[in-house]
Amino acid sequence: MTTILLTGGTGYIGSHTAVELIAAGYEVVIADDLSNSSKNVVDRIAQISGKKPSFYEIDVADKDDLRKVFSSHHIDAVIHFAGFKSVSESVREPLKYYRNNLDATLSLLEVMKAYGCEKIIFSSSATVYGVSVDSHKFNEEDETGNCSNPYGRTKSMIEDILSDVSKADEGFTSILLRYFNPVGAHESGLIGEEPNGIPNNLMPFITQVAAGILPKLKVFGSDYDTPDGTCIRDYIHVVDLARGHVAALEYAFVHTGCGIFNLGTGKGTSVLEMIHAFEEANGLRIPYEIAERRAGDVPFCVADPSKANDILGWKADKDIVDMCRDSWRWQQNCRNESIK
């Protein structure tokens, strides 16, 4: 059976990808230091999929621990999720982000090379594109590197590293998946986005306000050059995103070199539009206040996903209503479990 290592695999996107990989017939091994996730996610993956992945609680930057994983399993490919991901925190603590995100990737690539593993799918981000002009939808040919924050710069640097490795080794394949804004949760309500502390992303902030955990939502900026003054994003359901990884993996097994794909819907939704969509989908009211702009945010970020549609045979199927309903179901399950 083909075995896939997921670094950061108990995280939000990693856990959903594990479920989809198991459903597609792959053997899954997870390596995660649990710095922003919980070990019980492994059991929840098993509950959904009927199969428990192998799990190693390690820092992916530690090559000795990584070698133990590769020595215990024949790893056919890696999907690399491990990394810090808060835009605002990266602005406050850039060294933390450069050290963690780059070290984890370099250690992983060195160990992969030592064990003859030549396929990697990288969890990149639309932040590598920087700031859009005139509501332009980003495509894979657009310039990258002019990032608005250190988090985005780490993603851009890692893309450059993987591109260089692919050029230097003819047998090596790297697939760079540029995510837009993942939201939602598995329809079972067993896995979803569970941030530590006050959320950095919009949807878990909305759901925590809806659950009464937080008193009201902060909308960061209402004076952007957008129709309602709030930032516009391309929100993609996390299950659609996870299925995109399976499609990318299948592509990687029959191609070499470096491939780049946007994973998004191609549709933009403003912060206020998302709040109102959540209220309508779930019959709830979300109190909010306008706050100062947040450092590192850009006004408009929407994908042109046509390359992934055409080449990977993948497209996002779920809509904003699905995202809102599944997010609220997950939040309610989390709340109920914390009360027990």
Side-chain angles (χ1 to χ4, degrees), residues 154-295:
T154 67
K155 293 294 189 182
S156 184
M157 290 176 182
I158 293 168
E159 284 196 1
D160 289 342
I161 291 167
L162 291 170
S163 176
D164 287 342
V165 173
S166 298
K167 290 173 184 174
D169 184 345
E170 292 183 355
F172 192 84
T173 302
S174 57
I175 306 297
L176 316 179
L177 297 182
R178 293 174 180 164
Y179 308 164
F180 280 68
N181 285 70
V183 296
H186 193 270
E187 63 182 6
S188 66
L190 290 171
I191 55 174
E193 188 171 11
E194 192 171 8
N196 294 329
I198 296 176
N200 289 297
N201 297 329
L202 176 61
M203 186 59 82
F205 212 135
I206 290 175
T207 60
Q208 288 192 19
V209 170
I213 299 168
L214 297 172
K216 57 187 171 182
L217 174 70
K218 287 186 177 181
V219 175
F220 296 106
S222 62
D223 58 350
Y224 287 99
D225 186 17
T226 61
D228 65 18
T230 64
C231 292
I232 291 176
R233 296 290 182 268
D234 185 338
Y235 295 98
I236 176 173
H237 198 292
V238 66
V239 171
D240 281 332
L241 185 64
R243 290 171 180 161
H245 289 76
V246 178
L249 186 65
E250 291 169 353
Y251 177 86
F253 279 122
V254 293
H255 292 83
T256 56
C258 182
I260 304 171
F261 299 95
N262 287 337
L263 294 184
T265 66
K267 300 174 183 178
T269 303
S270 76
V271 174
L272 292 182
E273 286 173 335
M274 180 60 87
I275 293 170
H276 299 323
F278 185 91
E279 291 176 328
E280 186 172 345
N282 297 299
L284 297 166
R285 179 179 172 273
I286 304 298
Y288 67 87
E289 65 178 7
I290 304 299
E292 293 293 320
R293 289 188 182 194
R294 186 170 56 179

Side-chain angles (χ1 to χ4, degrees), residues 86-107:
S86 167
V87 168
S88 56
E89 184 184 49
S90 78
V91 174
R92 296 193 306 269
E93 300 185 64
L95 289 178
K96 174 181 177 180
Y97 274 67
Y98 288 119
R99 172 64 71 187
N100 181 77
N101 293 3
L102 295 176
D103 277 5
T105 304
L106 292 169
S107 293

Side-chain angles (χ1 to χ4, degrees), residues 115-136:
Y115 284 84
C117 181
E118 296 187 315
K119 307 289 183 186
I120 185 169
I121 314 295
F122 174 54
S123 168
S124 192
S125 167
T127 57
V128 301
Y129 291 120
V131 179
S132 180
V133 178
D134 297 328
S135 300
H136 166 73

